[in-house]
């Protein structure tokens, strides 16, 4: 009986730990301070930081090749400007794959390709949304034609241009008319191809838009009043990130696609703002956010509404850069422009695994001692 109890509890524990999302980083080579670091230096640096997943919004072939000797998983993105050509002609999709994937795969461990990035944002100069679905399908067919079946194809959206509300999460749905015209057929495609739904989640931006949100709630701080209860589900949320993530899951479930994994393509907290009034954009808060995020993800409760609801999370971004528009003009990097580490944050899975081992050892010892006490008690009764 004791052996059965031990195996049951240990099996449940191991299943729980499997729900921890991997934590990656975004590296934007085109916005690095000139001249950009050599690709080999970037790949070596990321390996040194023990980050095992990298998102490349502008995947230069030389950069993709540089990750071949490493064990780093690559998430490539195709810029919105390429969508019209990809949508109109399948040969364009083949050409893109022959340049960015075929020469390097599988040595370079490309696992995911995003067709476009936040195409529904109202701030974009051109509306690329009509091209999203045909471009995605053409790229998927091109991969099949090349005999590559293990690379996911999806598209990345922004929380603010996609989801109606963050609170309560149980009330969230996709914004219309894009929800029915764009997102629903894409979700159907993702379900058919076993791919993930990609979305950018920035608690910093939501905090700035809503003065009622406490700063501690946005920064994963364990204070007495840092929680919100969903009146429908009864789930208590202790941070804004989890609330926004569950709002995404609720919107997907409302369309009947609750089993598709979610990948957070971008999240972070800036250490410097693009405007003088952004006093919360500072290094202290940025480090608190990143440490809280990593702690939250490693706890196995990334999405309280649904176990295994989140597959991966990518921090934005590797390095600071100057210039750009209002959003990218902020300092989001975990490194400065000269590649100096800004924060003391452990991103690797090593710390997570060591924690799991310690708990597993403690659990094993506790069960063995309990079993021994039961046996000794039984012998004493028989005597």
């Amino acid at each position: 009986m004791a052996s059965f109890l031990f195996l049951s509890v240990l099996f449940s524990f191991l299943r729980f730990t499997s729900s921890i999302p991997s934590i990656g980083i975004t590296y934007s080579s085109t916005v690095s301070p000139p001249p950009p670091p050599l690709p080999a230096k970037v790949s070596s640096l990321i390996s040194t930081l023990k980050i095992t997943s990298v998102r490349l919004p502008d995947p230069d072939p030389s950069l993709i090749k540089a990750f071949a000797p490493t064990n780093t998983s690559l998430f490539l993105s195709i810029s919105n400007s390429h969508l019209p050509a990809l949508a109109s002609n399948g040969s364009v999709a083949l050409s893109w794959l022959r340049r960015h994937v075929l020469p390097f795969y599988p040595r370079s461990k490309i696992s995911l390709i995003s067709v476009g990035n936040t195409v529904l944002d109202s701030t974009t100069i051109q509306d690329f949304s009509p091209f999203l679905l045909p471009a995605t399908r053409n790229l998927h067919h091109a991969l099949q034609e090349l005999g590559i079946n293990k690379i996911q194809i999806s598209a990345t959206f922004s929380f603010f241009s996609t989801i109606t509300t963050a609170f309560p999460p149980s009330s969230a749905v996709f914004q219309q008319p894009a929800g029915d015209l764009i997102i629903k057929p894409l979700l159907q495609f993702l379900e058919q191809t076993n791919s993930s739904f990609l979305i950018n989640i920035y608690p910093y931006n939501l905090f700035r838009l809503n003065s009622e949100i406490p700063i501690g709630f946005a920064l994963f701080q364990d204070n007495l009043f840092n929680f919100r209860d969903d009146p429908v589900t009864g789930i208590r949320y202790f941070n804004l990130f989890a609330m926004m993530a569950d709002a995404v899951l609720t919107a997907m479930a409302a369309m009947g696609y609750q089993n598709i994994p979610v990948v957070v393509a971008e999240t972070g907290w800036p250490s410097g703002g693009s405007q003088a009034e952004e006093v919360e954009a500072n290094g202290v808060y940025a480090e608190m956010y990143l440490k809280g995020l990593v702690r939250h993800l490693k706890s196995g409760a990334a999405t309280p509404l649904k176990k295994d609801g989140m597959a991966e999370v990518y921090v934005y971004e590797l390095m600071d850069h100057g210039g750009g528009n209002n959003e990218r003009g902020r300092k989001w990097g975990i490194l400065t422009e000269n590649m100096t580490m800004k924060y003391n944050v452990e991103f690797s899975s090593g710390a997570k695994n060591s924690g799991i081992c310690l708990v597993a050892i403690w659990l094993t010892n506790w069960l063995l001692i309990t079993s021994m006490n039961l046996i000794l008690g039984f012998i004493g009764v028989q005597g």
Side-chain angles (χ1 to χ4, degrees):
M1 180 66 181
S3 298
F4 175 77
L5 176 63
F6 168 74
L7 291 174
S8 298
V9 174
L10 187 57
F11 177 71
S12 299
F13 175 78
L14 292 175
R15 282 199 311 160
F16 171 77
T17 59
S18 67
S19 66
I20 298 176
S22 66
I23 305 172
I25 196 81
T26 293
Y27 172 65
S28 305
S29 58
T30 58
V31 295
S32 296
L38 294 174
K41 186 174 183 179
V42 173
S43 65
S44 175
L45 171 64
I46 290 175
S47 296
T48 302
L49 294 174
K50 299 180 181 179
I51 297 173
T52 57
S53 303
V54 176
R55 173 176 170 265
L56 302 176
D58 32 75
D60 184 87
S62 62
L63 188 58
I64 300 171
K65 181 180 180 181
F67 282 98
T70 72
N71 198 36
T72 307
S73 174
L74 299 182
F75 167 4
L76 312 183
S77 290
I78 301 176
S79 65
N80 294 342
S81 60
H82 286 83
L83 297 190
L86 286 170
S88 63
N89 196 332
S91 63
V92 176
L94 278 170
S95 297
W96 191 91
L97 292 172
R98 288 194 177 106
R99 173 172 164 77
H100 296 87
V101 175
L102 206 56
F104 318 111
Y105 182 83
R107 286 201 67 209
S108 295
K109 297 168 180 61
I110 303 167
S111 61
L112 176 60
I113 300 174
S114 173
V115 182
N117 185 38
T118 64
V119 296
L120 299 181
D121 280 15
S122 58
T123 56
T124 54
I125 299 174
Q126 181 179 347
D127 182 13
F128 293 103
S129 60
F131 308 106
L132 184 62
L133 287 168
T136 302
R137 293 191 181 106
N138 280 346
L139 198 69
H140 174 69
H141 294 323
L143 276 176
Q144 289 185 315
E145 187 174 328
L146 294 172
I148 300 174
N149 301 310
K150 294 185 178 180
I151 298 178
Q152 295 185 37
I153 303 295
S154 188
T156 304
F157 297 92
S158 166
F159 183 94
F160 297 97
S161 60
T162 308
I163 308 297
T164 55
T165 184
F167 185 80
S170 58
S171 299
V173 293
F174 287 112
Q175 297 180 24
Q176 297 298 341
D180 288 335
L181 296 178
I182 305 294
I183 297 176
K184 189 170 184 177
L186 178 70
L187 289 172
Q188 183 181 20
F189 168 83
L190 298 178
E191 185 178 61
Q192 292 170 346
T193 58
N194 295 316
S195 298
S196 303
F197 183 72
L198 315 179
I199 192 160
N200 300 339
I201 294 180
Y202 282 103
Y204 173 77
N205 291 340
L206 185 55
F207 165 78
R208 281 182 49 79
L209 290 172
N210 191 336
S211 59
E212 295 182 357
I213 299 175
I215 185 65
F217 189 66
L219 294 174
F220 299 92
Q221 296 306 294
D222 298 327
N223 296 332
L224 183 60
F225 300 107
N226 280 345
F227 66 86
R228 293 291 185 275
D229 293 332
D230 190 311
V232 176
T233 64
I235 294 176
R236 175 162 290 186
Y237 292 92
F238 294 96
N239 62 79
L240 190 54
F241 178 88
M243 183 184 292
M244 295 172 74
D246 272 4
V248 176
L249 292 179
T250 299
M252 294 169 63
M255 284 191 167
Y257 295 98
Q258 61 271 17
N259 294 323
I260 296 175
V262 171
V263 170
V264 177
E266 291 183 16
T267 191
W269 195 283
S271 62
S274 56
Q275 301 174 10
E277 63 269 21
E278 294 187 65
V279 294
E280 294 86 5
N282 61 69
V284 174
Y285 283 175
E287 184 167 10
M288 289 171 66
Y289 178 83
L290 291 174
K291 285 184 174 180
L293 175 70
V294 171
R295 183 175 65 249
H296 172 68
L297 296 177
K298 290 181 179 181
S299 73
T303 49
L305 188 64
K306 180 176 179 290
K307 183 182 175 182
D308 296 330
M310 188 176 293
E312 298 175 281
V313 175
Y314 289 82
V315 171
Y316 190 87
E317 61 182 328
L318 181 66
M319 294 172 59
D320 283 339
H321 57 84
N325 58 32
N326 181 55
E327 177 69 12
R328 298 310 185 220
R330 296 168 176 150
K331 303 294 185 181
W332 296 93
I334 65 170
L335 306 177
T336 63
E337 289 92 338
N338 61 6
M339 302 179 72
T340 301
M341 195 72 181
K342 292 159 62 176
Y343 315 120
N344 181 24
V345 182
E346 177 63 70
F347 291 100
S348 73
S349 60
K352 172 187 72 178
N353 290 336
S354 63
I356 291 172
C357 290
L358 287 173
V359 176
I361 291 170
W362 176 88
L363 179 63
T364 303
N365 290 337
W366 180 83
L367 287 171
L368 288 173
I369 292 170
T370 303
S371 301
M372 184 61 68
N373 289 335
L374 288 173
I375 293 171
L376 292 175
F378 176 79
I379 294 174
V381 171
Q382 293 297 314

